[in-house]
Amino acid sequence: METTFTPLMSLAGGALIGLSAVVLMATVGRIAGISGIIAGVLSPTRDGGFSLRLAFLIGLLAAMPLALLVAPQPEIALTDTPILLILGGLLVGYGAVRGGGCTSGHGVCGLSRLSTRSLVATATFMVVAALTVFVMRHVLGVS
Amino acid sequence: MGPVFAALSGLIFGLGLIVSGMINPAKVLNFLDIAGQWDPSLAFVMAGAIAVTLPGYRLVHRRSGPMLHPMFHLPTRQDLDRQLIGGSAIFGLGWGIAGLCPGPAMTALPLMEGGTMLFTTAMLIGIALASYQARAPRTAT
């Protein structure tokens, strides 16, 4: 599906994501990594962060209903092949926790801390994802 | 007060994802599809996010701790191991298949669309499996 290049909105949205990460660090001293936050709610540790993670997720889930009060529903073009959704979801969830983070934890927070681990993780998932899209679209023609 | 600011942070994060357009998997896949109709938007999202987070973190970390809690919780590991690279590769494979990662999946969930719900359910199972595996006592290595 064709999409429009949105440099200004994407920069502005990115800046909001950055603001969110800074607010979380400044107030409660934690990394805004979504996969880690979900993992900490599904499988709580004794680090005292459970209520913070749960609160963050409630805020995250409230964003769309609030946005719909002032803006039209954003377009979400997702594959309708169930097996791709199931496989994609399992791999994304498993891989993010195994690799210690996803696009937010490694890609935004980790890179901003100039972490070598996050740089390697981000480069790895970017390259593998681009190769996956290449094979799916231009070799197999499935999406 | 901590949970109030954590919820505010989550809310801003979700709004950022919606404003940036990253809530739409087609935009993510078109960024990753360098050989197709390339949409560079995702690079601008990353640039905008890091442009705020990098100086913001620098400023925050000048203090000895966060405002509402006794200390910062920061990753301390520096080594590059198989789990980091293997896990990231598995994540990249799934991201490339569906174009959704955890943030956008959770943010889109309240729309109750079938595809997002199926993906997110599978993602939560994947997260739970990896967390369980990380906790389980190791018999080898």
Side-chain angles (χ1 to χ4, degrees):
Chain A
M1 195 198 102
E2 212 168 320
T3 54
T4 335
F5 175 39
T6 51
L8 290 180
M9 290 300 270
S10 289
L11 261 179
L16 281 175
I17 293 169
L19 176 67
S20 151
V22 175
V23 165
L24 198 67
M25 186 60 74
T27 55
V28 300
R30 286 174 191 265
I31 299 273
I34 310 298
S35 55
I37 289 172
I38 298 171
V41 168
L42 290 182
S43 151
T45 52
R46 292 200 193 104
D47 72 341
F50 180 79
S51 59
L52 297 172
R53 296 191 181 98
L54 188 63
F56 182 96
L57 285 184
I58 291 169
L60 187 64
L61 288 168
M64 184 64 79
L66 276 174
L68 291 182
L69 296 176
V70 294
Q73 184 167 326
E75 186 172 22
I76 296 181
L78 186 62
T79 173
D80 50 14
T81 312
I83 186 67
L84 293 180
L85 291 166
I86 295 170
L87 192 65
L90 282 173
L91 293 171
V92 159
Y94 181 84
V97 171
R98 190 103 179 120
C102 54
T103 17
S104 49
H106 279 313
V108 174
C109 300
L111 290 189
S112 293
R113 295 175 59 239
L114 307 179
S115 150
T116 310
R117 275 173 63 85
S118 290
L119 181 65
V120 170
T122 306
T124 304
F125 63 64
M126 284 284 181
V127 169
V128 173
L131 286 173
T132 305
V133 171
F134 183 82
V135 170
M136 294 217 359
R137 284 194 173 172
H138 304 290
V139 181
L140 302 174
V142 287
S143 73
Chain B
M1 280 303 274
V4 174
F5 282 94
L8 180 70
S9 170
L11 178 65
I12 300 171
F13 198 103
L15 293 175
L17 282 172
I18 296 168
V19 169
S20 71
M22 291 305 112
I23 195 84
N24 185 2
K27 266 181 99 63
V28 173
L29 292 179
N30 285 351
F31 172 80
L32 296 168
D33 188 9
I34 300 157
Q37 297 157 334
W38 195 50
D39 178 350
S41 301
L42 191 145
F44 283 67
V45 181
M46 292 294 289
I50 293 172
V52 172
T53 312
L54 198 151
Y57 272 8
R58 292 258 156 121
L59 210 64
V60 167
H61 287 146
R62 278 191 203 162
R63 296 169 51 103
S64 56
M67 295 168 195
L68 305 171
H69 277 251
M71 57 179 182
F72 293 115
H73 294 260
L74 297 173
T76 48
R77 284 182 62 175
Q78 305 272 350
D79 60 310
L80 302 174
D81 61 331
R82 240 172 39 189
Q83 202 175 314
L84 176 84
I85 295 166
S88 297
I90 293 171
F91 170 76
L93 183 61
W95 196 33
I97 288 175
L100 268 178
C101 55
M106 294 303 287
T107 307
L109 197 58
L111 294 173
M112 309 273 275
E113 283 173 6
T116 318
M117 291 173 75
L118 185 58
F119 177 92
T120 310
T121 306
M123 181 185 84
L124 294 177
I125 293 170
I127 290 176
L129 276 175
S131 311
Y132 176 78
Q133 189 188 16
R135 296 281 182 79
R138 298 212 179 161
T139 48
T141 67

